[in-house]
Amino acid sequence: MAPAAAFAAVQGLAAVAPLQAAAANKSAGSPATASPSGAFSQRRTSFLPSQRVALRSAASVSGRANGFNVFFAPKVANGSVGRTGIRCEATVAEKEATVEKFEYQAEVTRLLDLIVNSLYSHKEVFLRELVSNASDALDKLRFLSVTDPKLMEPNPNLEIRIKSDKDAGTITLMDTGIGMTREELVESLGTIAQSGTAKFMKALKESKDNKSSDNNLIGQFGVGFYSAFLVADKVTVSTKSSKSDKQYVWEGQADTSSYTIREETDAEKMVPRGTVITLHLKEDEKFEYADAIRIENLVKNYSQFISFPIYTWQEKSREKEVEEEADETEESGDDTPKEKKKKTITEKYWDWELVNETKPIWLRNAKEVAKEDYNTFYKSTFKEFIDPQAYTHFSTEGEIEFKSLLYIPGMAPFNSEDMLSGKTKNIRLYVKRVFISDEFDGELFPRYLGFVKGVVDSNDLPLNVSREILQESRIVRIMKKRLVRKTFDMVEEISNRENKEDYKQFWSSYGKNMKLGCIEDTANHKRLAPLLRFNSSKNEEEMISLDQYVESMKEDQKAIYYLAADTIKSAKSAPFLEELVKKDIDVLFLVEPIDEVAITNLQSYKDKKFVDISKEDLELGDVDEEKEKEIEKEYRLLCDWMKQNLGDKVAKVAVSKRISSSPCVLVSGKFGWSANMERIMKAQTLGDTTQMEFMKGRRILEINPSHPIIQDLNFACKDTPRSSRAQAMVNLLYETALLSSGFTVSSDVDQFCSLPICT
């Protein structure tokens, strides 16, 4: 669109002429106007904001298309005259605004306070962070000593030692690692979030000589050192680098924004190589963290599997023989020397003790580890006294790399609520052998597999800065899927053993967990269903699998039939079974409260649908349709008459296909609760009565046309439909059907016995 056309569209043709005239005057070099405001101002036009936007846009587009810039120039001083004009230049670029660059500033004291008091949820992790830093220093030295063996000469031992002093209120951590120079102290400890380990790893990756990517370096965020201020108000770092001849001391205090560095001059505090960190504990932390036993337990919990030996200063005891003191009251005239008596006393002393003796067997090749080693590791790590039922040791490579060792405990915990809790402490997560957490809420394992115990070690896990919380990501979901799959492999291995007692023991301990999985984990139904076990009408003593049930099905059987009840005895006596037993059809007995919900969620198994025989529309096959129609026609009047007498108690009365010896049975609607589910829901402490009335559904009374009572009632409804005795008989049959079908009778015994038929 041309500039003139754009102006015409916004303001009309009258606004275009002055613009063209002004442009022509400027190009000719003549004055724009004789008036002080210029020719353009003689016919000042007022634009709305929206019109100005359209005008500028059109002018800009047209100007770019024709190779020149069009813009409104501000008022400028031209002698004593200010004027407003439009400048069109083909080669002049638009003037850009001046851009200034600033660096972020931070209040160091406040930043340190946030790091110390906001990142970590447990104060005890300070020791994990410091030990991890010491391990990184030792790893760096070990790596660099491959190409420069002289680095190991001052002290060939690679170790970590931790000593607590109750009297002084200090904790001292010593390592014989690479150490730090003065410049590295300033760069690493003086710069918050500056990770020396991360920088070292980056240099390794960029190095052309580095052919191995296998390293055990832990640090990555550069804030772990400052966790020392969780328990200490002053931290002293004395370090001697293999690159320097001098030893330097770094000192920092909590709630300050400064630190000091000086050269070490005390000969007694000199070290050949490495770092000594001294924590001066806060007054309220001295009692807990200056205790040697507490320090040892923390190391065992968080850093037990560090590859370097960790020693702690512990109080020990030993037996010692000493001479008994002579009794001065004893007098003897014999001057011959007597043999002095000796006694054994217990002497206490302090010495170094190796803490991390247990090795991380999950890092070893599974073929090289014996079964006894797996069992020993399981008992020592998880404080168990019974061997596990099964274990699996595997490593995963490719998209995600991790190693894991999982166990199925030999027995279930005494408190079943702990087993089904989403926050069990059965899975211990490690990153490069450093313990991270054992508190998960379904991130690594679903709730129904909470009984599984084991360790998971990975270098690829997305952790938050405190390394305490596992962040949700695609990597975690992939890891969870593979851990669940390996667990199913373990359970299947138990079920396929020749010794069937092993799976019986597993099922008695964790059978409810498998059923809970059918409810909560629809994605794994195909793996869960073959593991289920139930009693049946043909197998009252021994439980059978769904595979065994399907194999024993009759050729014309199209469904898997089940009946839910409170006990096997009540299920056997239920009238729903009569016709199925007569036709030699097996029926699964669901006698645990969770069974019916689990089977309902499964819906089918191997293309065979699950059918509840206590609900309406039961199809058993082999039915003579013509004979069935004749029976329904003959008893249609009786069904209507009984429905009229029972009123809203039942939805309808129909001829039954499932009973052969009982006069009648009460069945549930297809989409409502069964009698067993009603019983379970009524027993709930916090049950919703409104929901119960809605889900209770309708009830259908089915009658047996071959029973004498029903046949007598059929004649009575035709001859004497208003007979009180016949009506009482209908009510009696209904109450009896309620009891035999598993429902709860709403009326009391007195009302039941006051019926005329009972007298």
Side-chain angles (χ1 to χ4, degrees), residues 25 29 52 54 128 254 361 418 480-481 483 532 632 697 734:
N25 290 337
R52 294 192 189 101
R128 180 195 70 182
I361 63 173
D418 294 341
K480 178 179 179 179
K481 187 180 296 184
L483 290 172
L532 301 179
E632 289 180 355
Y734 170 75

Side-chain angles (χ1 to χ4, degrees), residues 52 122-123 128 154 385 397 519:
R52 294 192 189 101
H122 302 289
K123 291 183 178 181
R128 180 195 70 182
F385 56 92
E397 297 179 354
I519 301 171

Side-chain angles (χ1 to χ4, degrees), residues 15-40:
V16 179
L19 177 64
Q20 293 175 336
N25 290 337
K26 183 173 184 178
S27 63
S30 60
T33 178
S35 64
S37 300
F40 189 70

